[in-house]
Amino acid sequence: MYPTATDTRGLAGQTVGDTQICSVNQTQLIYRGYEIADLAANATFEEVAFLLLVGHKPSADELATFSGDLVSMREIPASVADAIVRIAGESPSAHPMSVLRTAISLLGHLDSECEDNGPDAELRKSMRLLAQIPTCIGIHQRALEGKPAISPDPALGHAANLLWCMTGEKPGNIAARVMDVSLILYAEHDFNASTFTCRTIASTNSDLHSAICGGVGALKGNLHGGANEAAMAMLEDIMRDTEGGDITVEAWMQRAFEEKRKLMGFGHRVPRNFDRRAGILREWGLKYAAEENRESSRWFELGDEVQGIMLREKNIFPNVSLSCGMTYFAMGIPVPQYTPIFVASRITGWCAHVMEQHANNRIIRPLASYTGPELTTWNG
Amino acid sequence: MYPTATDTRGLAGQTVGDTQICSVNQTQLIYRGYEIADLAANATFEEVAFLLLVGHKPSADELATFSGDLVSMREIPASVADAIVRIAGESPSAHPMSVLRTAISLLGHLDSECEDNGPDAELRKSMRLLAQIPTCIGIHQRALEGKPAISPDPALGHAANLLWCMTGEKPGNIAARVMDVSLILYAEHDFNASTFTCRTIASTNSDLHSAICGGVGALKGNLHGGANEAAMAMLEDIMRDTEGGDITVEAWMQRAFEEKRKLMGFGHRVPRNFDRRAGILREWGLKYAAEENRESSRWFELGDEVQGIMLREKNIFPNVSLSCGMTYFAMGIPVPQYTPIFVASRITGWCAHVMEQHANNRIIRPLASYTGPELTTWNG
């Protein structure tokens, strides 16, 4: 399923540039010098966002200012809120990622610094998008449910406010922390497809909002961010098919292998054999299930059984998408919002990369090998 | 200004994949086996669009059906038209490329085949976008001028209809053909930054509209499609500064060299020293100026003088952006619409590449070299 080092299609295994933001290898995921398990255990998402966007661990004062600024930036212009509600009414089946792509594009028109690619303006634009994306997600989800939008709550941090805007319920401490940890885990992953998209767009001297719209589009695919939705859809399939007792999980998996069905939530190009994030989020998901939603534990049991079979039969480890899918499911988050929530986190990594690209730019313009028809003449 | 072959930042000189769509080298630009000068002399833009999207030169019947289908697809949903007018009112300074990015994102929500990445659906979506983009451009430009939108004219081809929707005037034969040729020249250029963006987005299994929104964002930058606007802005600067006789063009250029000012419309990474398209479009621009707008000839004279100095002093040739800027200027097209017009053409190449990517997909996910801080711990 995953390529060998000598198979370079899709730029697999090809190092295409430098970054000071993130390091991913077979054993570690590091954000600007801090290992992901350390951050998940000891930092908040706001601290990680500051680290990624500004470049160092914030002091207490820096963090207070940064967090306060984010809270003050959460409201979105009325015309963008209206547009999201209108789209939910006119195109209720539009994927939330497509709607978020539109919302961010609209926010660009109204951002007075839209065309300023300088570092100060780009940091401010990054913070505005970081603050506004949960608002956009919340308005869309509520509109789909026929409910009025909820104002962001200044008393809540980024993760808790995101849950509040989506559900209209103040999350408990565990729910808020589980979401916070998931946002930390998802914030950055070096030159993944969406980040590389952002950098390629920025490399033409285009603006940050243009880059982020591209990143949202890339993250949407089920080989990337969309995998957490796809992984959960797969688990729902297995649960439904096996619940009646007509088929065992083992038999379901063997049939999927025989049919060469693509199973989501397993393997990763980088790292190949071990996704540090999967275990961290599984622990938090289990904690949430045990303390807040015992009934949801059966999803983790199913996930563990499926993981075990994949490892035994295919030697492929689960990735973070599977843990994330189960955890968000246990928390009652609508499946189509999983990838938009990923955006609410990865916006930090994307924006950090856009700033890094603009600080030392060279257009990303590779070559192709032509394998088409030989030269001929039009009238001939 | 342009990299050596051994300097691989920005993937310069790196072949990253195969394509049957286009070949660019130091002497030729080939679309699926046909050389660009042959196409510019003997084909229409609709024929080239068919060639790129379907894969072969159309028969007379195929062309009639394709062209008729495009005409029938030009109208856009009322809600998208309304949104464009609203944006023009609320954000009159928003760049037309940003507005086009939003418009295409909105069209995605309303496309019933949005999430279908199969080849038949993607060809139909490509044709719809090809047909609808001139409508979007026209509505936006007219709204900026405070004028009502104009309905597309079924009697006009793609190029003439584009001019009609923007200006409200039926173009003469020469204007229509000049626009047609410029669209042929701009349609495709292998793995340029915007096309590579489209392919990267598509490579996650994301949808065509998401890919195209990314492509529009990438093309916007002044190191890419935005160069035609930037080149014309530079010529306007030179014309204004030199008209009074206080400074000669020669002195203006020498000063720009001394100030290391980036001069737009010159050089290209691929091809390095000769942009086949520049000469073709210059000829058509001169023909238009001679027959339709004699006053505009002074821009071509200025352009020729500037080109000559660049070649003598820096050994850098003009690229197509300079010819395009002067030609569109002579035709009275508003400068901020130059890059959206580029989209009205390049949409064909982008969509062809999205289909090619999806037909034989592998996620585009390179690696980065980490140059950030050494590993440390969060608390201490």
Side-chain angles (χ1 to χ4, degrees):
Chain A
M1 186 184 288
Y2 282 84
T4 62
T6 53
D7 180 357
T8 59
R9 278 188 63 219
L11 287 169
Q14 302 292 297
T15 301
V16 304
D18 296 339
T19 183
Q20 300 188 358
I21 301 167
C22 181
S23 169
V24 190
N25 59 38
Q26 296 308 320
T27 55
Q28 287 180 314
L29 168 59
I30 292 166
Y31 297 173
R32 297 194 187 276
Y34 300 96
E35 212 276 324
I36 193 67
D38 185 13
L39 293 171
N42 298 308
T44 65
F45 176 69
E46 277 85 343
E47 288 175 309
V48 170
F50 184 100
L51 173 71
L52 290 170
L53 290 172
V54 181
H56 63 267
K57 178 183 173 179
S59 69
D61 280 355
E62 285 173 327
L63 181 64
T65 302
F66 181 75
S67 301
D69 286 349
L70 288 179
V71 166
S72 74
M73 293 169 168
R74 286 177 180 164
E75 294 287 346
I76 65 171
S79 66
V80 180
D82 291 348
I84 295 170
V85 172
R86 204 177 305 119
I87 293 164
E90 190 179 30
S91 311
S93 66
H95 194 286
M97 285 293 278
S98 302
V99 179
L100 191 52
R101 182 189 69 212
T102 298
I104 292 170
S105 190
L106 287 165
L107 288 170
H109 306 151
L110 293 161
D111 195 307
S112 62
E113 299 185 291
C114 180
E115 302 296 336
D116 186 343
N117 291 350
D120 296 343
E122 287 202 328
L123 177 58
R124 288 189 294 268
K125 287 190 282 187
S126 301
M127 290 175 65
R128 283 194 281 275
L129 279 177
L130 172 58
Q132 291 171 328
I133 284 169
T135 313
C136 294
I137 294 172
I139 291 172
H140 186 234
Q141 180 56 35
R142 303 275 299 172
L144 288 175
E145 296 174 9
K147 296 174 184 165
I150 290 173
S151 289
D153 183 340
L156 299 178
H158 190 75
N161 179 62
L162 171 61
L163 286 166
W164 160 245
C165 288
M166 270 196 295
T167 64
E169 290 173 25
K170 297 286 164 80
N173 286 340
I174 296 178
R177 181 59 186 156
V178 173
M179 178 54 69
D180 198 66
V181 169
S182 78
L183 298 179
I184 291 172
L185 298 176
Y186 268 131
E188 168 54 13
H189 212 243
D190 83 9
F191 283 12
N192 60 89
S194 58
T195 301
F196 188 56
T197 296
C198 290
R199 290 190 77 124
T200 304
I201 294 173
S203 82
T204 72
N205 285 342
S206 191
D207 65 287
L208 183 130
H209 284 84
S210 286
I212 301 304
C213 288
V216 171
L219 194 71
K220 182 185 172 195
N222 68 9
L223 297 180
H224 193 11
N228 54 19
E229 296 175 43
M232 198 57 221
M234 179 195 71
L235 285 185
E236 289 187 277
D237 279 355
I238 302 176
M239 185 69 89
R240 190 189 52 241
D241 292 350
T242 57
E243 254 173 350
D246 292 341
I247 186 170
T248 63
V249 174
E250 181 78 38
W252 195 101
M253 294 290 287
Q254 291 300 340
R255 191 181 63 193
F257 295 148
E258 281 159 24
E259 292 171 355
K260 297 195 187 304
R261 178 171 168 170
K262 171 104 177 140
L263 297 173
M264 310 306 289
F266 296 95
H268 199 286
R269 183 180 292 175
V270 192
R272 185 90 36 93
N273 280 330
F274 182 68
D275 186 338
R276 196 89 171 78
R277 303 167 296 178
I280 298 171
L281 196 52
R282 178 176 168 279
E283 293 259 319
W284 278 100
L286 283 172
K287 184 175 165 70
Y288 180 85
E291 299 189 25
E292 302 286 335
N293 183 358
R294 289 203 158 273
E295 200 276 330
S296 70
S297 299
R298 67 197 183 107
W299 292 97
F300 292 90
E301 288 158 17
L302 175 63
D304 283 353
E305 186 174 359
V306 169
Q307 286 179 29
I309 297 168
M310 278 297 280
L311 194 56
R312 186 190 74 216
E313 297 292 319
K314 300 288 174 183
N315 197 30
I316 298 176
F317 284 80
N319 64 40
V320 67
S321 305
L322 191 72
S323 304
C324 177
M326 294 186 293
T327 302
Y328 288 174
F329 197 81
M331 294 170 75
I333 297 169
V335 176
Q337 295 293 359
Y338 292 5
T339 319
I341 293 172
F342 196 155
V343 175
S345 162
R346 185 59 59 86
I347 183 70
T348 55
W350 288 338
C351 290
H353 279 278
V354 168
M355 289 188 275
E356 189 176 70
Q357 182 70 34
H358 279 160
N360 183 18
N361 190 48
R362 181 135 180 245
I363 187 171
I364 296 174
R365 198 293 180 211
L367 302 177
S369 174
Y370 180 64
T371 55
E374 285 191 30
L375 187 63
T376 182
T377 54
W378 189 256
N379 290 325
Chain B
M1 184 184 290
Y2 283 83
T4 62
T6 53
D7 181 356
T8 59
R9 276 188 63 218
L11 286 170
Q14 302 292 298
T15 301
V16 304
D18 296 338
T19 183
Q20 300 189 357
I21 302 167
C22 180
S23 168
V24 190
N25 59 39
Q26 296 307 320
T27 55
Q28 287 181 313
L29 169 59
I30 292 166
Y31 296 173
R32 296 195 187 275
Y34 300 97
E35 213 277 322
I36 192 67
D38 184 12
L39 293 172
N42 299 307
T44 64
F45 175 70
E46 277 86 342
E47 287 175 309
V48 170
F50 184 99
L51 173 70
L52 291 170
L53 291 172
V54 181
H56 63 267
K57 178 182 173 179
S59 69
D61 279 356
E62 285 174 326
L63 181 63
T65 302
F66 181 76
S67 301
D69 286 348
L70 288 178
V71 167
S72 73
M73 292 169 170
R74 284 177 180 164
E75 295 287 346
I76 65 172
S79 66
V80 180
D82 291 348
I84 296 171
V85 171
R86 202 176 306 120
I87 294 164
E90 189 179 29
S91 312
S93 65
H95 194 286
M97 284 294 277
S98 302
V99 179
L100 190 52
R101 182 189 69 212
T102 298
I104 292 170
S105 190
L106 288 166
L107 288 170
H109 307 151
L110 293 161
D111 195 306
S112 62
E113 299 186 292
C114 179
E115 301 297 336
D116 186 343
N117 290 351
D120 296 340
E122 288 201 328
L123 177 58
R124 288 188 294 267
K125 287 190 282 187
S126 301
M127 290 175 65
R128 282 194 282 274
L129 279 177
L130 172 58
Q132 290 171 327
I133 284 169
T135 313
C136 295
I137 295 172
I139 291 172
H140 186 233
Q141 180 56 35
R142 302 273 302 172
L144 287 174
E145 296 173 10
K147 296 175 185 164
I150 289 172
S151 289
D153 184 341
L156 299 177
H158 189 76
N161 178 62
L162 171 61
L163 286 166
W164 160 245
C165 288
M166 271 195 297
T167 65
E169 289 172 27
K170 297 285 163 80
N173 287 340
I174 296 177
R177 181 61 186 154
V178 172
M179 179 54 68
D180 198 66
V181 169
S182 78
L183 298 180
I184 291 171
L185 298 175
Y186 268 132
E188 169 51 16
H189 212 242
D190 81 11
F191 284 11
N192 59 88
S194 58
T195 301
F196 189 55
T197 296
C198 291
R199 290 190 77 123
T200 305
I201 294 172
S203 82
T204 72
N205 284 343
S206 190
D207 64 286
L208 184 131
H209 285 84
S210 286
I212 301 305
C213 288
V216 171
L219 193 71
K220 182 185 173 195
N222 68 9
L223 297 181
H224 193 11
N228 56 17
E229 297 175 42
M232 197 59 221
M234 179 195 72
L235 284 184
E236 288 187 277
D237 279 354
I238 302 176
M239 185 68 89
R240 190 189 54 241
D241 292 350
T242 57
E243 255 173 352
D246 291 342
I247 186 169
T248 63
V249 175
E250 182 78 37
W252 196 100
M253 294 289 286
Q254 292 299 340
R255 191 182 61 192
F257 295 146
E258 282 159 24
E259 293 171 355
K260 298 195 187 305
R261 177 173 167 169
K262 170 105 179 140
L263 297 173
M264 308 307 289
F266 297 95
H268 199 285
R269 183 181 291 175
V270 191
R272 186 89 37 92
N273 279 330
F274 182 68
D275 186 339
R276 196 90 172 77
R277 302 166 297 177
I280 297 171
L281 196 52
R282 177 177 170 280
E283 293 258 319
W284 278 100
L286 283 170
K287 184 176 166 68
Y288 180 86
E291 299 190 24
E292 302 284 335
N293 183 358
R294 290 202 156 275
E295 200 275 331
S296 69
S297 299
R298 67 198 183 104
W299 292 97
F300 291 90
E301 289 157 16
L302 175 63
D304 283 353
E305 187 174 358
V306 170
Q307 287 180 30
I309 296 167
M310 278 297 279
L311 193 56
R312 186 189 73 215
E313 296 292 319
K314 300 288 172 182
N315 196 32
I316 297 175
F317 285 79
N319 63 40
V320 67
S321 306
L322 191 72
S323 303
C324 176
M326 294 187 293
T327 302
Y328 288 174
F329 197 81
M331 293 169 77
I333 297 169
V335 176
Q337 295 292 3
Y338 292 4
T339 318
I341 294 172
F342 196 155
V343 175
S345 162
R346 185 59 59 88
I347 183 70
T348 54
W350 288 338
C351 290
H353 279 277
V354 169
M355 289 188 276
E356 190 176 71
Q357 183 70 34
H358 278 161
N360 183 18
N361 189 50
R362 183 136 178 241
I363 187 170
I364 296 174
R365 200 290 182 210
L367 301 177
S369 174
Y370 180 64
T371 56
E374 285 191 29
L375 188 62
T376 182
T377 53
W378 189 256
N379 289 327

